[in-house]
Amino acid sequence: MNETRMIVHIAVNWKELSVVVSISLVLIVFVVAAAIILSWRFISGALKSLDKFEINEAELGIGRGIVKFRPIYVDRQIAFSIWVELSTRKIGLPIDLDNDVVIEIYDSWYSFFSVTRELMKGISANTLRNDSTQAIVQLSIEVLNEGLRPHLTRWQARFRGWYKREIARLEREGTSTDLDPQQIQKRYPLFEELRTDMERINKNLIAYRHKMKQLALVA
């Protein structure tokens, strides 16, 4: 046999055992080793991504427990959609009532209700069989119903009614153009109480947005 075509040639005699390793074998060993290393890194990353994800309900203003689940791919898609909605609307950004208009914030919050409902309705019944997906859906519903809705129920109609009447009064007096909306809204008798509650809700929604981003992009 031609020695140049062999991977390993072993010659044995009484005094020595000699092994001749060809360049081909060295290359094969190198490729296999590299493949094993890359595969291990991939598997390790995949296993890490399957770690349980935790959400503190207190941060979102909906309870005191810790929600734990093992996210799957579809959960990340849902979280990404929610994160995008929160990041492109006033609802998920810090509010500043010295510059922001309360009614516009309420419009954004109400719009998010509609968007989230449609997103939840778009999840197939088969997908909802996954415990992790159920956790994401339930969490989102609780953020709306337990976190956001109580504030809107208490404040939105009252403030909108007052603001409409105040604008009408200023128009009758001919002074409606003398004040900015931000100045007018501060005349609301319970403005500081409304501000405190609105900022609390805003903080919870920002925490919710952060968790959705973490779930979609990091976890």
Side-chain angles (χ1 to χ4, degrees):
M1 180 179 294
N2 190 335
E3 184 177 334
T4 59
R5 300 178 59 186
M6 296 176 58
I7 293 177
V8 178
H9 170 69
I10 302 176
V12 181
N13 57 33
W14 293 102
K15 297 182 179 180
E16 64 178 354
L17 174 65
S18 63
V19 179
V20 180
V21 181
S22 72
I23 295 177
S24 298
L25 178 61
V26 174
L27 292 176
I28 291 174
V29 171
F30 176 79
V31 171
V32 171
I36 292 174
I37 292 172
L38 291 175
S39 298
W40 173 247
R41 288 182 176 179
F42 176 80
I43 293 172
S44 297
L47 291 174
K48 183 178 180 182
S49 70
L50 292 176
D51 287 345
K52 285 189 176 180
F53 191 79
E54 294 187 0
I55 296 179
N56 188 335
E57 292 180 330
E59 295 177 356
L60 311 183
I62 60 174
R64 290 293 180 268
I66 302 293
V67 178
K68 298 181 180 181
F69 57 94
R70 194 180 300 276
I72 60 177
Y73 177 72
V74 68
D75 303 331
R76 299 185 182 209
Q77 289 182 305
I78 295 170
F80 180 78
S81 297
I82 294 173
W83 171 60
V84 169
E85 289 295 333
L86 286 168
S87 299
T88 55
R89 298 174 185 271
K90 190 61 183 175
I91 185 170
L93 303 176
I95 60 175
D96 173 14
L97 292 184
D98 290 328
N99 297 294
D100 293 323
V101 177
V102 171
I103 287 179
E104 292 178 357
I105 294 173
Y106 282 154
D107 289 342
S108 177
W109 287 8
Y110 181 80
S111 177
F112 184 68
F113 259 96
S114 300
V115 170
T116 303
R117 280 197 299 265
E118 291 304 313
L119 179 62
M120 298 299 105
K121 286 165 57 178
I123 301 173
S124 68
N126 187 55
T127 300
L128 280 174
R129 293 178 182 177
N130 301 311
D131 292 340
S132 59
T133 306
Q134 290 180 25
I136 289 291
V137 171
Q138 184 62 34
L139 179 72
S140 299
I141 291 174
E142 289 176 357
V143 167
L144 294 179
N145 290 337
E146 298 180 24
L148 192 56
R149 189 184 296 277
H151 174 94
L152 294 175
T153 300
R154 179 183 180 187
W155 292 106
Q156 181 179 210
R158 290 181 174 90
F159 179 82
R160 285 184 184 274
W162 172 86
Y163 190 82
K164 183 178 180 180
R165 292 191 299 273
E166 183 69 5
I167 290 293
R169 184 183 68 79
L170 293 173
E171 287 178 347
R172 288 194 302 270
E173 295 176 356
T175 59
S176 60
T177 58
D178 296 338
L179 299 172
D180 294 328
Q182 293 88 341
Q183 294 173 306
I184 296 173
Q185 67 191 17
K186 288 183 179 180
R187 294 186 171 194
Y188 183 56
L190 299 176
F191 180 76
E192 289 305 320
E193 189 176 349
L194 180 148
R195 180 206 290 267
T196 298
D197 199 40
M198 181 171 278
E199 289 176 346
R200 177 184 62 83
I201 298 298
N202 183 235
K203 180 181 178 181
N204 294 340
L205 290 171
I206 290 174
Y208 177 52
R209 176 173 64 89
H210 175 72
K211 281 298 180 182
M212 292 301 99
K213 177 183 179 181
Q214 186 179 3
L215 175 57
L217 304 179
V218 179

